[in-house]
Amino acid sequence: MRQLKLKTSQKIGAGLLLLLLAFALLEALLHGTAPYLQRLDQAFALPSLQEPLGTDQFGRSMLARMGAALRLSLILSLICVLTSATLGILLGVVAGWWQGWADRLLSFILNMLLALPGLVLILLFAGLAPGSLLMLYLAISLVLWVEYFRVVRAITRTQIQSSAMQASHMLGFGRWYCFRRHIWPALVSPVFTLAAFGAANAILALAALGFVSVGVRPPTAELGLMMVELFPYYSDAPWVLAQPVLAVFLLVLSLNLLAGGKRS
Amino acid sequence: MTGSQPIIPLLQVENLCVFSRPQAKNQAPELLLEPLSFSLYPGERLTILGETGAGKSLLMQAIMGTLPKPLYHQGRIRIAGQDLDALPQTEREQLWGRRIALLPQEPWHALDPLMPSQEQVSEVYQCVKGRKPDSADHQATQDLLAVGLQGAEHKRPDQLSGGMAQRLAFCAATAAGASLILADEPTKGLDTSCREALVQLLCKKSTQGTLLTITHDVAVARQLGGRILVMKSGRLLDDGRIKQVLDDSACQYTRQLIEAEPARWPPYPLPNIQQATPILEAQELSKQRGNKRLFEHLSLQIRRGEILGLTGDSGCGKSTLGDILLGLLPADSGRVYRRGGFAPQRYLKLYQDPPASFAPQVKLAQLFDDLIRLHRLDAKRLPALLERLNLSTHLLQRHSHQVSGGELQRLALARVLLMEPVFLFADEPVSRLDPITARDVLQLLVEVATEYQCAVLLVSHDPALVHKICHTQRCLSLP
């Protein structure tokens, strides 16, 4: 990551993401209220000094709920991206380098996964064990690794045929060196882009599952679930419904901005 | 140009210079091409000779009006008396094909990769000349026949050889009847035989109009004849009739360029290797690629310190043979024997494209360090070796793309020599370098190979070059 030169749009994306991250972290550290604490007499209280973001239909602090929901989305997307990227890079390099039966087997699995729309697959997994966060994590990672695999495999194939790698090989360098000097540097940039898109997709998938009520269960604060819970009250308290919508929008926007553009 | 009535030059360039726009406000614009003037009358040929970076292509782009945005030109360019800068861009583009034709450097980039040959030419007649499809097709067939492309009418560019593709590009470029032909390194990457055919074609066409050729190849300039300008780093160094310039120039750089021609090299004193032990033997090698048989029952032996030259037209399997000898590719049949029991890391390769053989992301010093550490080599040998190859140690602090081609090829040689090789496959090691640099690098290669008693398989498309510096020569030809 030595030559990390970001374009302006990428800088805006990174800044936006950092702001959301800071909000999620600072809320956990400074704001003492629990996200599930109900105070029915305070339902749909307008934003005030005590409750800067107002309260929801059960009088729960929206500030606390937004903080918790953002933490959930960010952490889940982070571990999904880490898992799928590691898996995809590992298998992609193996398939691209060894070729032969390993490549054929992995490509076969890949084509099976690609035949199903990603969200359908996630729904299927989520349906197996409703409300299980672990299952969601597995399902999203399973869908996301495919992209890394395809890109990494293609890049590895071109790299192992390059004169530079042939030269290193003839000079007696081993596979690990060839990976570190020739394959990895070529992978960093596309993998970074994929990771940013992958995180955005993971956040959208989690929210979509919450929205169709197969994701996490109430009273967990989750952006999609909050949207569907608050949806009936859109005319009474539009500012409350707007918060999770805006949060998803900003998360996805920041990650897409970050992904965009080539790094030199 | 005698005659009672004045003849208007087809192309007139007056004090043309090219600048690069300054990046910051307080900087002065950078002068890339120093003021240059010449006139070309019908039937004349002008060749501009110079190495990469001499500003030849800038001149051509300025005439076409296709200079990239950060650059601009000053001075006057007139085509048949018409001042080009007075014309709006759209009218200027109207001249393309009709008055000026550009024969591009790499025909592959200029041709439509999916369109059959005949259509590419026919399209020009239809769209530029407004002819009916039937008559356009007929004319296109005639054109292809005239350049010896009969039978290739329905082939796509990827099914053509380099020489054929260049002739097709020539047909398409000149179909609209331009009388002023600009040819930008038209023979780059072509074999000797294709090169001659193309040069003859250019000569033939130029009798009706005017030809302006850019090249770094003295042989091409000699064949084209006419007038010649010698350029270096954006400056005109020499100007005159070709015979007079090439045979007796007062300019030192011109003489250097001419002497860099392989045919002019002094014969290199090669040591006797008759008594040397064989290092590599190949017996009865055969290889097929697709349906094409590259070679069959090929046997060869190479001794320590021997320089074996391998020539042949492009695509005849020269590189494939080298890769088989190094064990990088399998042969269909036959065997390669390595004699003497040397470590496999002492059988190495030099690549055609110097930048392609170094990892681009790290400094060169890092790559050399990696190698020294891996084989526990004596790090003190490196500075001496670099000095032997006329390289500065400062170069190691750069990345491979920040070093010139000639320097990088010598660095590749240094990297190989660290391993004290016994066999080196040099795959057209200087074909991407300027003639003067190419000669220096190649002479160095031969010298150090002799010092290290290293056998070299030198692949080249230039028989003259191989003739001068090799013990033995083999010519591959397709069966």
Side-chain angles (χ1 to χ4, degrees), chain A residues 1-6 10 89 148 151-152 155 182-197 258-264, chain B residues 361:
Chain A
M1 303 295 274
R2 231 170 347 94
Q3 300 157 322
L4 195 73
K5 276 190 206 131
L6 296 178
Q10 285 178 300
I89 292 172
Y148 298 93
V151 170
V152 168
I155 293 174
H182 299 289
I183 299 179
W184 179 247
L187 291 181
V188 172
S189 171
V191 162
F192 170 83
T193 306
L194 278 181
F197 278 130
L258 195 60
K262 267 194 159 76
R263 290 181 311 133
S264 53
Chain B
Q361 292 90 353

Short mmCIF file of all heavy atoms in Angstrom, two decimals, chain A residues 1-6 10 89 148 151-152 155 182-197 258-264, chain B residues 361:
data_model
loop_
_atom_site.label_atom_id
_atom_site.label_comp_id
_atom_site.label_asym_id
_atom_site.label_seq_id
_atom_site.Cartn_x
_atom_site.Cartn_y
_atom_site.Cartn_z
N MET A 1 0.85 -1.20 0.00
CA MET A 1 0.00 0.00 0.00
C MET A 1 0.88 1.25 0.00
O MET A 1 0.50 2.28 0.49
CB MET A 1 -0.90 0.01 1.25
CG MET A 1 -1.78 -1.21 1.40
SD MET A 1 -2.99 -1.34 0.08
CE MET A 1 -4.28 -0.31 0.79
N ARG A 2 2.09 1.11 -0.56
CA ARG A 2 3.02 2.21 -0.52
C ARG A 2 2.57 3.40 -1.37
O ARG A 2 2.64 4.53 -0.95
CB ARG A 2 4.37 1.71 -1.03
CG ARG A 2 5.52 2.03 -0.15
CD ARG A 2 6.76 1.26 -0.61
NE ARG A 2 6.44 0.22 -1.58
CZ ARG A 2 6.48 0.42 -2.88
NH1 ARG A 2 6.81 1.56 -3.37
NH2 ARG A 2 6.20 -0.59 -3.69
N GLN A 3 2.10 3.09 -2.58
CA GLN A 3 1.81 4.17 -3.52
C GLN A 3 0.34 4.56 -3.47
O GLN A 3 -0.29 4.76 -4.49
CB GLN A 3 2.17 3.73 -4.93
CG GLN A 3 3.63 3.37 -5.07
CD GLN A 3 3.87 2.44 -6.22
OE1 GLN A 3 3.08 1.54 -6.49
NE2 GLN A 3 4.96 2.64 -6.92
N LEU A 4 -0.18 4.64 -2.26
CA LEU A 4 -1.59 4.94 -2.12
C LEU A 4 -1.84 6.40 -2.46
O LEU A 4 -1.62 7.29 -1.66
CB LEU A 4 -2.03 4.64 -0.69
CG LEU A 4 -3.54 4.55 -0.48
CD1 LEU A 4 -4.08 3.27 -1.06
CD2 LEU A 4 -3.86 4.64 0.98
N LYS A 5 -2.27 6.63 -3.70
CA LYS A 5 -2.59 8.00 -4.11
C LYS A 5 -4.07 8.03 -4.42
O LYS A 5 -4.54 7.38 -5.35
CB LYS A 5 -1.80 8.36 -5.36
CG LYS A 5 -0.41 8.87 -5.04
CD LYS A 5 0.24 9.43 -6.29
CE LYS A 5 1.74 9.35 -6.18
NZ LYS A 5 2.37 8.79 -7.36
N LEU A 6 -4.82 8.79 -3.60
CA LEU A 6 -6.27 8.79 -3.78
C LEU A 6 -6.71 9.97 -4.63
O LEU A 6 -6.14 11.05 -4.56
CB LEU A 6 -6.95 8.87 -2.41
CG LEU A 6 -6.71 7.67 -1.49
CD1 LEU A 6 -7.39 7.89 -0.16
CD2 LEU A 6 -7.22 6.39 -2.12
N GLN A 10 -12.22 9.81 -4.16
CA GLN A 10 -11.88 8.75 -3.20
C GLN A 10 -11.63 9.35 -1.82
O GLN A 10 -11.98 8.75 -0.81
CB GLN A 10 -10.66 7.98 -3.67
CG GLN A 10 -10.98 7.03 -4.80
CD GLN A 10 -9.75 6.31 -5.28
OE1 GLN A 10 -8.79 6.94 -5.71
NE2 GLN A 10 -9.76 5.00 -5.19
N ILE A 89 -8.68 -14.69 -2.69
CA ILE A 89 -7.29 -14.52 -3.14
C ILE A 89 -6.55 -15.85 -3.09
O ILE A 89 -5.89 -16.26 -4.04
CB ILE A 89 -6.57 -13.46 -2.28
CG1 ILE A 89 -7.16 -12.08 -2.54
CG2 ILE A 89 -5.08 -13.45 -2.57
CD1 ILE A 89 -6.66 -11.01 -1.61
N TYR A 148 -13.59 -11.96 -6.04
CA TYR A 148 -12.14 -11.97 -5.80
C TYR A 148 -11.50 -13.11 -6.56
O TYR A 148 -10.47 -12.98 -7.19
CB TYR A 148 -11.82 -12.14 -4.31
CG TYR A 148 -12.34 -11.02 -3.46
CD1 TYR A 148 -13.57 -11.11 -2.85
CD2 TYR A 148 -11.58 -9.88 -3.27
CE1 TYR A 148 -14.05 -10.08 -2.07
CE2 TYR A 148 -12.05 -8.84 -2.50
CZ TYR A 148 -13.29 -8.95 -1.90
OH TYR A 148 -13.75 -7.93 -1.14
N VAL A 151 -11.22 -12.40 -10.40
CA VAL A 151 -10.23 -11.38 -10.74
C VAL A 151 -8.81 -11.87 -10.43
O VAL A 151 -7.91 -11.77 -11.26
CB VAL A 151 -10.54 -10.07 -9.98
CG1 VAL A 151 -9.41 -9.08 -10.14
CG2 VAL A 151 -11.84 -9.48 -10.50
N VAL A 152 -8.64 -12.44 -9.25
CA VAL A 152 -7.31 -12.88 -8.84
C VAL A 152 -6.80 -13.99 -9.75
O VAL A 152 -5.64 -14.00 -10.15
CB VAL A 152 -7.33 -13.34 -7.36
CG1 VAL A 152 -6.05 -14.06 -7.01
CG2 VAL A 152 -7.55 -12.16 -6.46
N ILE A 155 -5.66 -12.41 -13.05
CA ILE A 155 -4.41 -11.65 -12.92
C ILE A 155 -3.24 -12.60 -12.70
O ILE A 155 -2.17 -12.45 -13.28
CB ILE A 155 -4.51 -10.63 -11.78
CG1 ILE A 155 -5.52 -9.56 -12.14
CG2 ILE A 155 -3.16 -10.00 -11.48
CD1 ILE A 155 -5.81 -8.58 -11.04
N HIS A 182 5.76 -10.43 -7.68
CA HIS A 182 5.13 -10.29 -8.98
C HIS A 182 3.61 -10.34 -8.90
O HIS A 182 2.93 -9.55 -9.54
CB HIS A 182 5.63 -11.37 -9.93
CG HIS A 182 7.10 -11.31 -10.16
ND1 HIS A 182 7.69 -10.32 -10.89
CD2 HIS A 182 8.10 -12.09 -9.72
CE1 HIS A 182 8.99 -10.49 -10.90
NE2 HIS A 182 9.27 -11.56 -10.19
N ILE A 183 3.06 -11.28 -8.16
CA ILE A 183 1.61 -11.44 -8.18
C ILE A 183 0.93 -10.46 -7.25
O ILE A 183 0.04 -9.72 -7.64
CB ILE A 183 1.23 -12.90 -7.83
CG1 ILE A 183 1.84 -13.84 -8.88
CG2 ILE A 183 -0.28 -13.06 -7.81
CD1 ILE A 183 1.56 -15.27 -8.65
N TRP A 184 1.37 -10.41 -6.00
CA TRP A 184 0.72 -9.55 -5.02
C TRP A 184 0.66 -8.08 -5.46
O TRP A 184 -0.41 -7.48 -5.41
CB TRP A 184 1.36 -9.72 -3.64
CG TRP A 184 0.75 -8.86 -2.60
CD1 TRP A 184 1.34 -7.82 -1.95
CD2 TRP A 184 -0.59 -8.93 -2.10
NE1 TRP A 184 0.45 -7.24 -1.09
CE2 TRP A 184 -0.74 -7.90 -1.16
CE3 TRP A 184 -1.68 -9.76 -2.38
CZ2 TRP A 184 -1.93 -7.67 -0.48
CZ3 TRP A 184 -2.87 -9.54 -1.70
CH2 TRP A 184 -2.99 -8.51 -0.76
N PRO A 185 1.79 -7.49 -5.91
CA PRO A 185 1.71 -6.09 -6.32
C PRO A 185 0.67 -5.84 -7.41
O PRO A 185 0.05 -4.79 -7.45
CB PRO A 185 3.12 -5.79 -6.86
CG PRO A 185 3.99 -6.77 -6.19
CD PRO A 185 3.17 -8.00 -6.03
N ALA A 186 0.47 -6.83 -8.27
CA ALA A 186 -0.52 -6.65 -9.33
C ALA A 186 -1.93 -6.80 -8.79
O ALA A 186 -2.90 -6.32 -9.37
CB ALA A 186 -0.28 -7.67 -10.45
N LEU A 187 -2.06 -7.50 -7.65
CA LEU A 187 -3.39 -7.76 -7.11
C LEU A 187 -3.90 -6.62 -6.25
O LEU A 187 -5.11 -6.38 -6.20
CB LEU A 187 -3.36 -9.03 -6.24
CG LEU A 187 -3.16 -10.36 -6.93
CD1 LEU A 187 -3.18 -11.48 -5.91
CD2 LEU A 187 -4.23 -10.59 -7.96
N VAL A 188 -2.98 -5.92 -5.55
CA VAL A 188 -3.39 -4.98 -4.51
C VAL A 188 -4.49 -4.03 -4.97
O VAL A 188 -5.55 -3.93 -4.34
CB VAL A 188 -2.17 -4.18 -3.99
CG1 VAL A 188 -2.61 -3.09 -3.07
CG2 VAL A 188 -1.23 -5.10 -3.27
N SER A 189 -4.24 -3.38 -6.11
CA SER A 189 -5.17 -2.34 -6.54
C SER A 189 -6.56 -2.89 -6.86
O SER A 189 -7.57 -2.39 -6.34
CB SER A 189 -4.55 -1.59 -7.71
OG SER A 189 -5.48 -0.74 -8.27
N PRO A 190 -6.70 -3.91 -7.71
CA PRO A 190 -8.04 -4.44 -7.97
C PRO A 190 -8.71 -5.03 -6.73
O PRO A 190 -9.93 -4.91 -6.57
CB PRO A 190 -7.82 -5.50 -9.04
CG PRO A 190 -6.39 -5.69 -9.19
CD PRO A 190 -5.70 -4.53 -8.61
N VAL A 191 -7.92 -5.66 -5.85
CA VAL A 191 -8.52 -6.24 -4.65
C VAL A 191 -9.06 -5.13 -3.74
O VAL A 191 -10.14 -5.27 -3.15
CB VAL A 191 -7.49 -7.12 -3.89
CG1 VAL A 191 -7.92 -7.36 -2.46
CG2 VAL A 191 -7.33 -8.44 -4.62
N PHE A 192 -8.35 -4.02 -3.69
CA PHE A 192 -8.82 -2.88 -2.90
C PHE A 192 -10.17 -2.39 -3.43
O PHE A 192 -11.12 -2.18 -2.67
CB PHE A 192 -7.78 -1.77 -2.95
CG PHE A 192 -8.23 -0.47 -2.37
CD1 PHE A 192 -8.18 -0.24 -1.01
CD2 PHE A 192 -8.73 0.53 -3.20
CE1 PHE A 192 -8.61 0.96 -0.48
CE2 PHE A 192 -9.16 1.74 -2.68
CZ PHE A 192 -9.10 1.94 -1.31
N THR A 193 -10.27 -2.25 -4.74
CA THR A 193 -11.53 -1.82 -5.35
C THR A 193 -12.65 -2.81 -5.05
O THR A 193 -13.76 -2.43 -4.66
CB THR A 193 -11.34 -1.70 -6.87
OG1 THR A 193 -10.24 -0.85 -7.12
CG2 THR A 193 -12.58 -1.13 -7.53
N LEU A 194 -12.35 -4.09 -5.24
CA LEU A 194 -13.34 -5.12 -4.98
C LEU A 194 -13.77 -5.10 -3.52
O LEU A 194 -14.95 -5.31 -3.20
CB LEU A 194 -12.77 -6.50 -5.30
CG LEU A 194 -12.79 -6.93 -6.75
CD1 LEU A 194 -12.19 -8.32 -6.87
CD2 LEU A 194 -14.20 -6.92 -7.29
N ALA A 195 -12.81 -4.86 -2.61
CA ALA A 195 -13.13 -4.88 -1.19
C ALA A 195 -14.10 -3.76 -0.86
O ALA A 195 -15.06 -3.95 -0.10
CB ALA A 195 -11.85 -4.74 -0.36
N ALA A 196 -13.88 -2.58 -1.45
CA ALA A 196 -14.77 -1.46 -1.18
C ALA A 196 -16.18 -1.76 -1.71
O ALA A 196 -17.18 -1.55 -1.02
CB ALA A 196 -14.22 -0.19 -1.81
N PHE A 197 -16.26 -2.28 -2.93
CA PHE A 197 -17.58 -2.66 -3.47
C PHE A 197 -18.20 -3.78 -2.65
O PHE A 197 -19.40 -3.80 -2.39
CB PHE A 197 -17.44 -3.11 -4.93
CG PHE A 197 -17.40 -1.99 -5.91
CD1 PHE A 197 -16.41 -1.92 -6.87
CD2 PHE A 197 -18.36 -0.98 -5.88
CE1 PHE A 197 -16.36 -0.88 -7.77
CE2 PHE A 197 -18.33 0.06 -6.78
CZ PHE A 197 -17.31 0.11 -7.73
N LEU A 258 -15.00 5.47 -2.64
CA LEU A 258 -13.68 4.98 -2.30
C LEU A 258 -13.19 3.98 -3.34
O LEU A 258 -12.01 3.95 -3.70
CB LEU A 258 -13.73 4.31 -0.92
CG LEU A 258 -12.41 4.04 -0.21
CD1 LEU A 258 -11.67 5.33 0.01
CD2 LEU A 258 -12.66 3.35 1.11
N ALA A 259 -14.11 3.16 -3.84
CA ALA A 259 -13.73 2.13 -4.81
C ALA A 259 -13.39 2.74 -6.15
O ALA A 259 -12.52 2.25 -6.86
CB ALA A 259 -14.87 1.13 -4.98
N GLY A 260 -14.06 3.83 -6.51
CA GLY A 260 -13.94 4.37 -7.87
C GLY A 260 -12.56 4.89 -8.17
O GLY A 260 -11.80 5.28 -7.29
N GLY A 261 -12.23 4.88 -9.46
CA GLY A 261 -10.98 5.50 -9.88
C GLY A 261 -9.80 4.57 -9.75
O GLY A 261 -9.76 3.71 -8.88
N LYS A 262 -8.84 4.78 -10.63
CA LYS A 262 -7.65 3.93 -10.63
C LYS A 262 -6.59 4.57 -9.76
O LYS A 262 -6.45 5.78 -9.71
CB LYS A 262 -7.12 3.83 -12.06
CG LYS A 262 -7.64 2.66 -12.80
CD LYS A 262 -6.79 2.48 -14.05
CE LYS A 262 -6.89 1.09 -14.58
NZ LYS A 262 -8.06 0.76 -15.26
N ARG A 263 -5.83 3.74 -9.10
CA ARG A 263 -4.67 4.26 -8.40
C ARG A 263 -3.46 4.08 -9.27
O ARG A 263 -3.32 3.08 -9.95
CB ARG A 263 -4.48 3.53 -7.07
CG ARG A 263 -5.56 3.87 -6.07
CD ARG A 263 -5.32 3.16 -4.79
NE ARG A 263 -5.07 1.75 -5.02
CZ ARG A 263 -4.08 1.10 -4.45
NH1 ARG A 263 -3.26 1.70 -3.64
NH2 ARG A 263 -3.91 -0.18 -4.66
N SER A 264 -2.60 5.08 -9.26
CA SER A 264 -1.42 4.96 -10.12
C SER A 264 -0.33 4.23 -9.35
O SER A 264 -0.20 4.38 -8.17
CB SER A 264 -0.93 6.33 -10.55
OG SER A 264 -0.74 7.13 -9.41
N GLN B 361 7.33 -2.68 -9.41
CA GLN B 361 6.91 -1.94 -8.21
C GLN B 361 8.02 -1.62 -7.23
O GLN B 361 7.82 -0.82 -6.33
CB GLN B 361 5.82 -2.73 -7.47
CG GLN B 361 4.51 -2.80 -8.21
CD GLN B 361 4.42 -4.01 -9.11
OE1 GLN B 361 5.40 -4.74 -9.27
NE2 GLN B 361 3.28 -4.25 -9.70
#
